[in-house]
Amino acid sequence: MEKECACSNRFADVDDLGPLEEIIEHYGSEKGALIPLLQEAQDAYGYLDEKIMREIAKRAGYQLSQVFGVATFFAQFRLKPIGEYLIKVCHGTACHVAGATQITDEVINQLGIEEGETTPDNKFTLESVMCLGACALAPIMVVGDDTHGKLKPTKIKKVLKAYAGPGGPEGAEGDDAE
Amino acid sequence: MIKVEIDGKACEAPQGSTILDIAKANGIDIPTLCYDPRLSPYGACRLCLVEVEGARALLPACYAKADDGMVIQTTNEKLERIRKTLVELLVSDHPMECQGCSKSGRCELQRLADKYGVTESTFTGEVHEYDLHRENPFVMRDYNKCIMCGRCIRICREVQGIGVYDFINRGFKAVPGTPYDKPMQETPCEFCGQCISTCPTGAIKARPYEDRGRVAALDMLRNACAYFKMPEEDMMKALGLEGWVTRTTCAYCGCGCQLDIHVIDNKIVEITSPLMVGSGQGNLCVKGRFGYDFVSSSERLTKPLIRKKGKFEEAEWDEALDLVAKKLSETKKKSCPDSIGVFSSARATNEDNYLVQKFARAVIGTNNVDHCARL
Amino acid sequence: MSDNGNGHRYKVVLGYGTCGIAAGATAVKDALEEEVKKGSYDVDLDIAGCMGLCFIEPVVEIFDRQGGSVVYGDITAKKVPQLLEEHVGKGQVIEDWVVKKSEDPEACEGDFLANQLRVVLRNCGKINPESIEEYIQIGGYEAAKKALTSMTPEEVIDEVSTSGIRGRGGAGFPTGTKWGFARKSPGEEKYLICNADEGDPGAFMDRSVLEGDPHSVLEGMILAGFAIGARQGYIYCRAEYPLALKRLDIAIEECHQKGFLGEGIFGTDWSFEVKVKKGAGAFVCGEETAMMASIEGQRGMPNPRPPFPATHGLWGKPTNINNVETFAAIPWIIAEGGEKYAEIGTEKSKGTKVFCLAGKVRRTGLAEVPMGYTLRQVIFDVGGGIAEGREFKAVQMGGPSGGCLPAEKLDTQVDYDQITAAGAIIGSGGMIVADNRTCMVDLARYFLSFTQDESCGKCTPCRIGTKRMLEILERICEGKGEPEDIEKLQVLAGDIKDASLCALGGTAPNPVLTTLRYFKDEYEDHIFNHKCAAGSCPALITLRIDPETCTGCAACVKVCPTDAITGEKKEPHVIDAEACIRCKMCLSRCPSESIIAE
C-alpha cells in the first residue's frame, strides 16, 4: 500500500523549502504539471500548507487562486496536517452493502471525532474514501498502511487499541482478514 | 456563410457562429445566465439548451457552434419545462428577498423567475449560509445569492488577466472565492469592479455610497421596475425622469470607454458601461467605474480663486480671466514666450486639449505644452 | 506459465494484487521465501497479478514441468510449510486446499473459472506483471510488431472495426469508428489517453488488468497510437491504485529498454511515448473532458461536447480516449484477427466483457464472459449464487450511472442494447448483487449520495438537482416521505438527465429511476407504511430478539450503547424498543443470529 502517514516526523517541516525546491525543479518546465506538483508536495510535507501553495504559485507560474482552486477540487489534497495514523473507511458499494456506515459510526464513537477531523492527541485522522477495490473483503478500513477487512463494528475497538499506544501498532498486522 | 433554421426561420450567419449568436442576430430570445458576450462560453447554467434535429442530446446554444443546415428549436414544451425546473432549482438555494436587494430590476435570475412564474421553489432543502464579504470599500460579495455561473472568475482571468477568484471546493459545496477566503485587498485585485459588471445576481455588488439615500432611491426605482415588469427607461419616462442615465465617454484616459452615468438629484450614484458598445465593450477600470466622487465633492473648485494678500479668495470668471491674461502678457513681454509653460488635463476633452496647445503655440508662442495623461 | 524457466521441477506463483495483499498475501510471500531458503525445494518462486478469485485470496498456483497446475485458495502463512512439503517435496496434492472442480455445487469454486472465457484477463494471474520477458515469452508485443512492420494504420483500424469491439469504459461506442475519427482529424500533433480512472464503486477490473498484465495495455496503446497517428500517450490512473501505478512504471521502463517505446519502435521510423498521470481523487475525471482538464492541470470540470476530443481534445489537439479493458483486448484482436473476436458475443455486442462480481454473491471476483451470457449464468453459474443461502433480490449494474435489475430480468443477455432496454447499463462492468436484506431505496440513496458528493458543481441540474433528489430520498429513508415524493423524483430525474452537462449528471438519476421502475412498492412501503421490509433503514425498523433461538449469552448486552437489552443469564433476552437506537451493534455480535430487524 501507498505510504500515507504512519509517523508525523517523516514529513518535512513547512519552513524547510528544500524538498519543494527539488519538486519544482523537476516539474518546472512541464506543461500542465500543477497536479503532480501538489501531489509530490503533499507527499513531502504531509499536507499543503499555505506557505507551500504560495511558493508553488510563485515559482511555477500559477495564480494562487488557481492553485487553491485545484487543491480544493480534488479529494486527495489536504490543507490541514493529519494525525499519525490516517484511518480510511471504504464506502464503495460492496462495503456500503456490507455495513460501512456502521463501521464509520463506530470509529466516530470510539475516537470522538467527526469525519475529516484529527484526534486531539494527533494520533488518528478519520476519512471516508471511495472504493479501494478490495470488494471481496468488505467492509474494509485502512489504518496507516494496514488493511483490515471483513470488519464488524464490534471489532473496531480492538483494531484501534492496537495503534493507540506509543511507538506504533502492537499486534495489529493488517492481514487479519480471517 | 452558413444557413440554419431556427424556430422555422431561415437564418444566415458566418461560419463559426454559435447558435446563440445567430438567434440573437435574428431577434430570437434564448434565456441565459452564465453567458456574457465578453467572455468565453461556459455552458454551465443549461438555460440556453436547445433542440437540434438529429443531435443525441440537447445543446447549449451559447457553446455549440452551428453547422450548415442545422434545424434548431429554441422553445417547446420540454425545453420550457426544463428551464422552469432549472430556475426552481436555482431559486431553491437563493434568498428571494428581492425587495431588499439592490440588484432588483437588473437581476437576471429575477427576470427568469418572473418569466417562469417561480416565486418560491417546490424543492426545499439545504441552503448555503455564507458570511457577507464587506471588507473593502469597492466590492461587496454575498455568495448566498451566487448561482455558480463563474462569470466573475472568467472576467477576472480572461479580460483583466488577473485571476483573483477561482471556484473553491466542488459540487454543492463549491463557491467562487479568493484563496483562503482572503479579503480582496490581500489579493492582486485592482478593484476594477468587472466582476460586479458581469454578476447576473446580487452576489457581487458595488459598495460605494451604498448607504446613501440617493442609492436607496435608485433601488426603489429599480424595484418598481421589477414589480411592474417595466424596463428602467420606460419607468423613468413615466415618472418624467429622462435625465437619470446619461451616456458619455469616460474622461480618464484615451481609451474612450462608454459610460452610463446614473444620476439622482443631480448627483452620480453609479457608473456602468453599456455591453458591447464603443471601444470598451462594457469593460471599465477602477477609475472609470469608481472614480466619480470628485464630481460632487465639496472640495471641488467651482469658482476661480485669486490669491490676495497670501490668501485665496473667490472671484468671478471675468475678473480671474482678465488677471490671467494680464499676467501672461506681462510675463511674455518681460521675459520671453518660452518662459511660460502650459499644462492641461487629461480629464478635459480632446477638443479642449487641442485648443490649449493651439493657445500655447499660436497665442503665447511656446512649445512648452504638456498634460497629465498619466492618471 | 507452462515452462517454468530455470529447469526447476515446480514453479510456485502467488497472486499478488491488491486483493491478495489486503487478504494477507505479503505474509504468505514472506513465508514462501523463507521456506524455500530454508529447505532445499526444487522450485521457482514467482508472483502474478490477481486471478480474479477474490473470494479465496490469497491464491497460490503451483505449476509442474508438464504444464499442469493446481490452484490453492485461502492460503495463509501458516499453511505454507505444509504446502511446500507435501506438493513440492513429495509431489502430493493437498486436495482439501485445492480450488475444486466438482459436481457438488457447494464446492464448485473451480467453476468460477471454468464458466469464463478470458480474453482481456488472458494473462492475469498467469505471468509476472513485473517481467516483460514473461509477457514476450507468451507472444507479447508480437501484435504490435506485426502491425508496425507490416500493416498500415488504416488496416489496423479496419481490423479493430471488424472485431466489432465497443468501448469498455461504459458508453459502448464502437472503438474502430472512434479511431477512424481521430485518424481523419486534421493536425500533426495528436494524443492518446488510456482511461484508468476506474471510479465506479464496485468495479475493479481495470485495476486487476493493470496490476496483473500492464504490458497488454501498453501494447494496445502502441497499436492505437500507430493507428490514429498519436506519438504521445497518457495513462490517467487513480492514485488509489498504488500497485497498479508501480507496475505501470516498471512496465514502461522495461518497454524503453526493449525499444518498444521511444524512437524508432521495432526498427521502424515510428515513435511513441507513454506517460502516467496520477489522478487526485475525483470521480468526474473519468469523464473525457474533465480528465483532459485535469491532465492540463486544471480543476476537473467537464466541458460541453461538441466539440469532441477527436477534434478538440488535450491542449486543443485531436485526442482519442479508450478504457484499460479496451486497450487490453486490442493486441488479442490484432494477433488473432478481428473476425475471431467477432465470433464471440451477440449480433451487436461482440467479444467478452469483464464483470466485477461483488455484494451478496457467493464468489466475488472477476468474471470475464462472452457477451450474450445471461445474468443468471454470470451470477449463478460463475458467481455461485447468493451468499449465505439467501434469496436473490436484484443486481445493480454499471455503478452510480447504472440501474438495478430484479429477478424477472435474470434471463436478460449481457449485451449493450438488451441491458439498456432492461433499464440498467453494462457500464464499466460492476455487478453488485443484492439479497432480500438490501433495501432498494437505501441503495438508490447510496448511489445518489455518491454522485452528489462527486458532482463537480459546474452545471445547475447536477449541482442542485441531484442534491434535492438526495434530500427527498433521505427523507423517505427516515420515514418522512410525502406521497408526492415519488412523482417529484421522477420529474426531477427526467430533467436532470436531459439537462446535465456531462454523463455524471446525465446518468446520476438512473439508480433512482430503475429502482422506481422495479421496486416502487418498496418506496411506497417506506412512505405510506413507514416500513423498511429489508430491515435496513434505521428509522423504520425495530429490532427484536427471537426467544426461540436466543441462548442468553449476553454478548449483545455488552455492546449495546444504550443498555436497551436486558435478560437473565442463559434465558432469552429482550430489547426495549424505546431505549433502542437501532445501531445494529447487537446484530453483528449475536452468535446465534437471534436478533431480527424488521
Side-chain angles (χ1 to χ4, degrees):
Chain A
M1 295 298 292
E2 191 182 31
K3 299 269 182 226
E4 275 284 2
C5 69
C7 176
S8 46
N9 62 14
R10 41 183 291 213
F11 296 121
D13 190 273
V14 292
D15 288 322
D16 171 18
L17 293 179
L20 186 63
E21 196 73 27
E22 278 174 39
I23 296 165
I24 292 173
E25 214 149 273
H26 183 240
Y27 287 103
S29 57
E30 197 179 313
K31 181 158 77 160
L34 180 54
I35 291 167
L37 268 170
L38 291 172
Q39 283 170 329
E40 298 218 353
Q42 177 160 298
D43 287 347
Y45 294 93
Y47 74 105
L48 295 170
D49 190 75
E50 181 176 342
K51 203 171 166 179
I52 301 298
M53 298 231 269
R54 281 188 185 278
E55 195 66 15
I56 289 176
K58 196 168 85 191
R59 299 285 310 283
Y62 295 96
Q63 292 150 340
L64 184 63
S65 62
Q66 197 185 350
V67 178
F68 192 76
V70 168
T72 56
F73 183 86
F74 293 99
Q76 200 188 55
F77 295 122
R78 283 186 292 269
L79 304 186
K80 282 192 216 140
I82 49 164
E84 195 174 331
Y85 296 103
L86 181 62
I87 303 173
K88 295 189 278 191
V89 181
C90 176
H91 282 258
T93 318
C95 288
H96 174 77
V97 172
T101 319
Q102 279 103 291
I103 302 295
T104 295
D105 286 349
E106 184 55 19
V107 177
I108 289 173
N109 182 24
Q110 290 289 335
L111 297 179
I113 50 168
E114 291 298 316
E115 277 181 54
E117 291 182 354
T118 302
T119 50
D121 62 355
N122 271 333
K123 203 82 186 172
F124 298 106
T125 302
L126 175 62
E127 270 181 13
S128 286
V129 294
M130 264 308 138
C131 193
L132 292 168
C135 305
L137 301 171
I140 70 164
M141 164 170 112
V142 179
V143 184
D145 295 341
D146 309 324
T147 305
H148 301 270
K150 294 188 182 167
L151 285 169
K152 287 180 177 183
T154 48
K155 278 192 189 172
I156 300 297
K157 196 172 173 182
K158 196 175 144 224
V159 171
L160 294 178
K161 208 175 157 194
Y163 295 88
E170 302 153 13
E173 290 307 310
D175 315 317
D176 65 347
E178 66 266 41
Chain B
M1 293 299 268
I2 52 167
K3 283 182 185 157
V4 298
E5 189 190 305
I6 303 182
D7 295 343
K9 185 176 173 185
C11 308
E12 244 184 53
Q15 189 91 41
S17 307
T18 64
I19 297 172
L20 185 64
D21 290 337
I22 304 174
K24 280 183 146 209
N26 287 276
I28 296 163
D29 179 48
I30 300 175
T32 59
L33 275 176
C34 67
Y35 169 81
D36 181 324
R38 294 173 288 174
L39 308 175
S40 62
Y42 193 54
C45 73
R46 317 306 282 167
L47 260 306
C48 72
L49 286 178
V50 294
E51 218 166 81
V52 175
E53 239 178 64
R56 277 198 300 178
L58 304 176
L59 296 180
C62 68
Y63 203 98
K65 296 224 160 61
D67 288 332
D68 197 28
M70 252 188 188
V71 179
I72 300 151
Q73 272 199 331
T74 71
T75 178
N76 59 36
E77 201 183 320
K78 179 179 165 187
L79 291 173
E80 294 306 321
R81 192 199 64 230
I82 288 173
R83 285 173 190 153
K84 184 173 179 186
T85 301
L86 292 172
V87 173
E88 281 199 60
L89 288 173
L90 288 169
V91 164
S92 77
D93 187 27
H94 182 99
M96 292 301 275
E97 305 149 351
C98 302
Q99 295 303 312
C101 179
S102 62
K103 220 32 177 281
S104 181
R106 289 181 295 172
C107 172
E108 295 176 29
L109 180 62
Q110 184 187 37
R111 219 172 291 156
L112 286 169
D114 278 347
K115 180 172 174 181
Y116 291 101
V118 179
T119 46
E120 58 181 307
S121 185
T122 48
F123 306 109
T124 48
E126 190 186 336
V127 292
H128 288 110
E129 284 172 37
Y130 297 112
D131 291 336
L132 288 187
H133 293 73
R134 303 162 69 101
E135 75 277 337
N136 70 73
F138 296 106
V139 182
M140 186 181 90
R141 293 175 289 150
D142 176 1
Y143 287 130
N144 298 311
K145 291 176 181 163
C146 175
I147 55 160
M148 291 283 293
C149 66
R151 280 159 62 169
C152 51
I153 297 169
R154 278 177 290 150
I155 204 159
C156 193
R157 205 162 270 173
E158 295 173 11
V159 179
Q160 298 308 116
I162 296 177
V164 169
Y165 308 115
D166 198 347
F167 287 116
I168 293 167
N169 301 325
R170 72 168 180 226
F172 191 71
K173 295 189 196 88
V175 63
T178 57
Y180 296 97
D181 213 12
K182 298 267 183 211
M184 293 175 77
Q185 56 270 37
E186 288 174 35
T187 69
C189 179
E190 292 171 355
F191 299 99
C192 62
Q194 286 277 77
C195 48
I196 300 169
S197 83
T198 193
C199 181
T201 70
I204 307 185
K205 288 184 295 204
R207 267 199 84 190
Y209 328 119
E210 62 185 18
D211 49 358
R212 290 198 190 163
R214 289 184 189 83
V215 177
L218 183 67
D219 289 349
M220 260 158 70
L221 172 84
R222 285 182 178 140
N223 268 318
C225 295
Y227 185 80
F228 292 107
K229 297 191 174 66
M230 270 168 91
E232 233 170 89
E233 298 93 85
D234 293 357
M235 177 62 83
M236 288 181 201
K237 234 173 244 169
L239 295 171
L241 294 167
E242 267 108 323
W244 280 40
V245 176
T246 306
R247 173 86 37 102
T248 185
T249 305
C250 180
Y252 267 103
C253 75
C255 288
C257 302
Q258 292 299 291
L259 302 183
D260 277 343
I261 300 191
H262 304 251
V263 180
I264 289 183
D265 194 16
N266 203 31
K267 286 203 174 159
I268 299 173
V269 289
E270 190 178 15
I271 291 181
T272 58
S273 180
L275 264 190
M276 311 317 279
V277 172
S279 58
Q281 298 281 290
N283 300 304
L284 290 178
C285 69
V286 60
K287 288 171 276 179
R289 191 182 313 278
F290 295 122
Y292 58 82
D293 53 346
F294 71 91
V295 176
S296 44
S297 166
S298 59
E299 289 169 34
R300 186 175 171 188
L301 298 183
T302 49
K303 282 189 163 176
L305 302 179
I306 296 175
R307 185 154 34 203
K308 290 176 180 165
K309 293 177 197 155
K311 265 193 169 178
F312 280 117
E313 279 179 21
E314 274 193 7
E316 291 306 314
W317 279 105
D318 281 349
E319 187 193 353
L321 288 172
D322 284 350
L323 179 67
V324 171
K326 195 176 125 214
K327 293 266 183 189
L328 281 174
S329 308
E330 276 173 21
T331 310
K332 187 179 165 187
K333 213 176 281 170
K334 207 165 80 188
S335 308
C336 65
D338 276 344
S339 65
I340 299 171
V342 179
F343 203 72
S344 73
S345 169
R347 206 162 303 151
T349 62
N350 277 345
E351 291 79 359
D352 287 345
N353 277 315
Y354 175 81
L355 287 174
V356 165
Q357 66 83 29
K358 198 79 183 167
F359 172 77
R361 293 194 170 104
V363 180
I364 298 176
T366 177
N367 287 322
N368 294 338
V369 194
D370 200 1
H371 81 77
C372 57
R374 297 156 295 275
L375 266 173
Chain C
M1 287 289 304
S2 55
D3 180 18
N4 54 37
N6 303 333
H8 286 291
R9 201 167 148 211
Y10 290 103
K11 178 167 173 171
V12 176
V13 178
L14 170 68
Y16 204 60
T18 297
C19 284
I21 293 169
T26 308
V28 175
K29 187 168 173 255
D30 292 346
L32 278 168
E33 281 164 2
E34 198 181 313
E35 282 302 309
V36 169
K37 217 189 291 169
K38 252 188 355 206
S40 50
Y41 294 114
D42 188 10
V43 70
D44 254 348
L45 283 185
D46 205 352
I47 55 161
C50 167
M51 288 176 74
L53 299 161
C54 303
F55 58 107
I56 41 165
E57 293 281 3
V59 173
V60 168
E61 186 167 12
I62 304 185
F63 293 90
D64 59 31
R65 201 176 276 175
Q66 286 72 43
S69 80
V70 179
V71 181
Y72 292 100
D74 276 331
I75 295 300
T76 59
K78 269 189 211 141
K79 287 179 174 173
V80 165
Q82 195 189 341
L83 180 74
L84 287 175
E85 196 185 319
E86 300 263 324
H87 192 125
V88 178
K90 299 183 192 156
Q92 295 276 325
V93 175
I94 309 174
E95 293 293 343
D96 283 354
W97 298 353
V98 173
V99 178
K100 286 196 199 77
K101 290 182 188 184
S102 92
E103 295 306 307
D104 175 8
E106 282 301 305
C108 59
E109 280 88 357
D111 297 352
F112 186 74
L113 289 176
N115 281 311
Q116 301 194 30
L117 174 64
R118 292 195 154 186
V119 171
V120 169
L121 302 175
R122 59 195 180 276
N123 303 322
C124 285
K126 293 196 176 147
I127 59 167
N128 183 341
E130 297 180 13
S131 159
I132 195 170
E133 297 299 340
E134 291 196 13
Y135 183 69
I136 292 171
Q137 229 168 41
I138 53 163
Y141 291 106
E142 286 297 321
K145 194 175 174 185
K146 173 175 131 191
L148 265 67
T149 54
S150 67
M151 292 168 82
T152 64
E154 284 76 14
E155 282 169 346
V156 174
I157 294 175
D158 283 347
E159 201 64 56
V160 172
S161 296
T162 307
S163 77
I165 186 170
R166 292 164 69 170
R168 294 297 191 242
F173 194 79
T175 306
T177 315
K178 197 171 184 175
W179 288 15
F181 287 149
R183 170 99 211 145
K184 285 187 205 102
S185 196
E188 273 299 294
E189 209 180 332
K190 292 179 189 178
Y191 293 101
L192 181 72
I193 301 175
C194 171
N195 185 344
D197 191 44
E198 184 173 56
D200 281 7
F204 50 89
M205 66 282 283
D206 292 352
R207 192 207 69 211
S208 294
V209 172
L210 292 172
E211 286 179 3
D213 192 15
H215 283 290
S216 69
V217 179
L218 287 175
E219 188 176 1
M221 288 183 72
I222 294 169
L223 286 161
F226 174 70
I228 67 165
R231 289 170 192 267
Q232 177 67 55
Y234 290 98
I235 300 176
Y236 190 91
C237 182
R238 292 179 86 195
E240 289 88 340
Y241 288 172
L243 190 61
L245 285 161
K246 182 186 142 205
R247 288 185 178 159
L248 273 173
D249 283 343
I250 295 172
I252 290 170
E253 181 54 36
E254 285 178 319
C255 276
H256 274 116
Q257 280 165 10
K258 289 273 170 196
F260 299 162
L261 285 177
E263 301 282 330
I265 303 173
F266 303 115
T268 65
D269 59 359
W270 184 250
S271 66
F272 188 66
E273 287 289 349
V274 173
K275 210 177 242 178
V276 176
K277 285 274 179 179
K278 199 163 84 168
F283 174 70
V284 68
C285 287
E287 200 275 345
E288 296 185 334
T289 56
M291 177 176 290
M292 294 188 300
S294 161
I295 293 177
E296 290 173 7
Q298 303 168 27
R299 289 168 61 91
M301 309 223 285
N303 286 309
R305 297 180 305 177
F308 289 96
T311 54
H312 289 80
L314 196 59
W315 288 299
K317 307 287 183 209
T319 302
N320 183 78
I321 304 176
N322 287 117
N323 166 269
V324 169
E325 203 184 324
T326 315
F327 281 126
I330 298 295
W332 192 95
I333 290 170
I334 299 299
E336 306 279 336
E339 276 176 27
K340 191 166 170 196
Y341 189 84
E343 283 167 17
I344 313 167
T346 61
E347 195 197 334
K348 284 189 175 160
S349 302
K350 300 296 184 194
T352 60
K353 173 76 192 109
V354 184
F355 291 98
C356 287
L357 279 172
K360 307 291 179 68
V361 67
R362 225 160 63 77
R363 300 178 208 132
T364 51
L366 293 177
E368 182 171 357
V369 297
M371 289 283 191
Y373 256 42
T374 63
L375 290 173
R376 191 184 300 281
Q377 280 174 299
V378 179
I379 295 163
F380 287 85
D381 295 354
V382 179
I386 308 307
E388 296 170 35
R390 291 186 192 277
E391 197 186 320
F392 174 89
K393 182 171 180 179
V395 56
Q396 208 286 342
M397 292 183 70
S401 317
C404 293
L405 301 181
E408 66 257 32
K409 292 286 172 189
L410 272 175
D411 291 314
T412 312
Q413 285 183 307
V414 288
D415 161 300
Y416 285 102
D417 307 296
Q418 290 194 43
I419 295 292
T420 306
I425 58 166
I426 297 256
S428 55
M431 266 197 197
I432 311 283
V433 177
D435 66 13
N436 52 3
R437 295 184 69 165
T438 313
C439 168
M440 301 315 280
V441 185
D442 177 65
L443 196 62
R445 185 200 60 75
Y446 165 76
F447 278 114
L448 210 62
S449 75
F450 174 83
T451 34
Q452 162 59 207
D453 209 43
E454 294 293 340
S455 164
C456 79
K458 182 169 177 176
C459 77
T460 313
C462 181
R463 182 182 69 251
I464 310 180
T466 60
K467 173 83 181 167
R468 298 296 175 238
M469 277 183 80
L470 176 62
E471 285 167 342
I472 294 173
L473 286 169
E474 279 169 348
R475 279 209 309 271
I476 295 175
C477 286
E478 283 165 16
K480 294 174 189 156
E482 312 265 342
E484 65 270 18
D485 278 348
I486 291 179
E487 205 203 323
K488 235 185 200 176
L489 279 174
Q490 260 158 341
V491 172
L492 191 50
D495 287 346
I496 292 172
K497 272 178 85 104
D498 284 335
S500 287
L501 195 161
C502 80
L504 186 144
T507 57
N510 285 355
V512 180
L513 287 173
T514 50
T515 46
L516 274 174
R517 178 165 158 191
Y518 294 115
F519 301 96
K520 200 171 184 177
D521 52 332
E522 279 192 44
Y523 281 83
E524 287 166 349
D525 214 20
H526 280 69
I527 295 173
F528 298 109
N529 309 326
H530 300 284
K531 280 245 175 300
C532 173
S536 168
C537 295
L540 301 180
I541 55 168
T542 46
L543 292 169
R544 66 178 178 87
I545 296 174
D546 183 355
E548 300 289 311
T549 54
C550 175
T551 61
C553 71
C556 53
V557 178
K558 289 188 203 112
V559 294
C560 180
T562 56
D563 296 326
I565 307 174
T566 50
E568 294 295 316
K569 229 178 165 101
K570 306 223 163 132
E571 292 293 320
H573 281 48
V574 282
I575 300 177
D576 175 4
E578 291 283 303
C580 175
I581 55 165
R582 298 173 286 261
C583 68
K584 298 200 214 169
M585 286 289 276
C586 51
L587 201 74
S588 69
R589 177 43 74 91
C590 179
S592 56
E593 295 190 11
S594 305
I595 295 168
I596 300 159
E598 54 192 10

